[in-house]
Amino acid sequence: MSNEKIIEKIQKLLALGGSENKHEAELSMKKAQDLMVKHNLTMQAIDNHDAEYIGEAGKEYKRESVEAKYVNSILSEFFFVSVIKSRNFQGKFITIVGEKNNVKTAQHMKVYLTNVFKVLWSDYRAKTGCPNKSKQSFYMGLFRGFSEKMREQRKESEIKFEMVLVNDPKVESKVTEMFGKVSNTTRRVNTGDGAALSEGKNQGRKLNVNSGALTA
């Protein structure tokens, strides 16, 4: 399957995840995960594969959104890309680096996940009347629940294809080429609202990819 066909197939599966039929939505998400894993396992098995690696920057921003911390972590762990924050004379930017097909998929997912975090938080706050400071707890729950689900699905895919994914060194090489040495920084967040954390995790476990991922 050509690179263009791969991304087209993944996008169609992501779109099917918007089905009102929960079984169909879950199955579509799983098939998309299988295809992404298979694509990257294939590249992993070929030392000198000729896939194109790119880095695409988003719009300049002044202040990082609350959602970005969690969404960028999800993209980096599950969508075979590296998400880099950088600054130059023009301003601050977030660049997604990786194999071209993976970058395109990650860009779609960034749009979707950012929107869904906002919507689910808005619904939860309207329902419970909790203070805005509970947002970090709810978001951390969403992040943990969705990440657990994605790890389980990836493990199933690896078992299915009888191979284990490793980090793609060409992604790291592209990052170094573009940005030099990159340092990882972590920021502590307040997750003191146990109820918001728990409900966020519950909703994260139920989260399926839907057609919102395709509205870049």
Side-chain angles (χ1 to χ4, degrees):
M1 186 181 296
S2 68
N3 286 341
E4 291 75 16
K5 291 296 183 181
I6 289 170
I7 190 65
E8 181 181 340
K9 180 66 174 177
I10 290 172
Q11 289 181 0
K12 285 181 178 179
L13 288 168
L14 295 178
L16 286 173
S19 171
E20 294 182 1
N21 182 313
K22 291 184 179 180
H23 176 72
E24 182 180 28
E26 189 78 20
L27 185 61
S28 295
M29 182 176 174
K30 183 63 176 63
K31 286 182 177 179
Q33 175 86 307
D34 276 350
L35 188 54
M36 286 187 287
V37 168
K38 183 177 181 181
H39 173 56
N40 285 273
L41 284 171
T42 299
M43 290 196 300
Q44 175 181 306
I46 304 173
D47 291 335
N48 296 314
H49 63 81
D50 59 356
E52 180 182 0
Y53 286 74
I54 64 173
E56 292 201 355
K59 295 179 180 178
E60 184 268 340
Y61 70 96
K62 289 183 171 58
R63 185 176 181 180
E64 187 177 41
S65 71
V66 181
E67 299 80 21
K69 168 185 170 63
Y70 304 98
V71 172
N72 291 340
S73 293
I74 289 171
L75 297 180
S76 295
E77 182 172 359
F78 301 109
F79 290 89
F80 311 100
V81 296
S82 188
V83 181
I84 305 297
K85 300 177 189 177
S86 64
R87 181 199 299 264
N88 60 31
F89 67 93
Q90 294 177 315
K92 300 177 182 177
F93 298 88
I94 292 178
T95 302
I96 300 177
V97 181
E99 189 268 332
K100 185 176 181 179
N101 292 294
N102 292 333
V103 169
K104 297 302 182 185
T105 302
Q107 287 173 325
H108 291 313
M109 286 306 303
K110 183 179 179 69
V111 174
Y112 167 63
L113 288 172
T114 298
N115 288 337
V116 85
F117 267 58
K118 291 177 179 178
V119 170
L120 291 178
W121 161 246
S122 179
D123 290 347
Y124 177 74
R125 190 179 186 192
K127 181 175 67 175
T128 63
C130 65
N132 192 56
K133 65 181 181 181
S134 296
K135 180 186 286 188
Q136 292 282 8
S137 298
F138 185 75
Y139 279 179
M140 179 60 80
L142 274 176
F143 169 74
R144 289 177 179 174
F146 187 64
S147 294
E148 285 180 4
K149 179 175 184 175
M150 291 291 286
R151 288 189 193 104
E152 290 167 5
Q153 289 190 341
R154 175 166 295 182
K155 180 58 66 177
E156 290 174 5
S157 296
E158 289 177 333
I159 292 172
K160 177 179 178 179
F161 298 120
E162 299 182 334
M163 289 183 71
V164 177
L165 280 164
V166 298
N167 291 334
D168 186 345
K170 291 193 175 183
V171 175
E172 190 172 332
S173 295
K174 188 65 178 180
V175 170
T176 301
E177 174 191 321
M178 294 181 67
F179 300 100
K181 186 176 181 180
V182 176
S183 59
N184 294 321
T185 58
T186 57
R187 182 180 62 186
R188 294 184 64 184
V189 297
N190 180 10
T191 56
D193 188 333
L197 184 70
S198 178
E199 179 58 20
K201 185 174 182 179
N202 180 52
Q203 293 198 37
R205 293 283 308 180
K206 296 177 180 177
L207 183 60
N208 281 313
V209 177
N210 69 25
S211 56
L214 305 180
T215 57

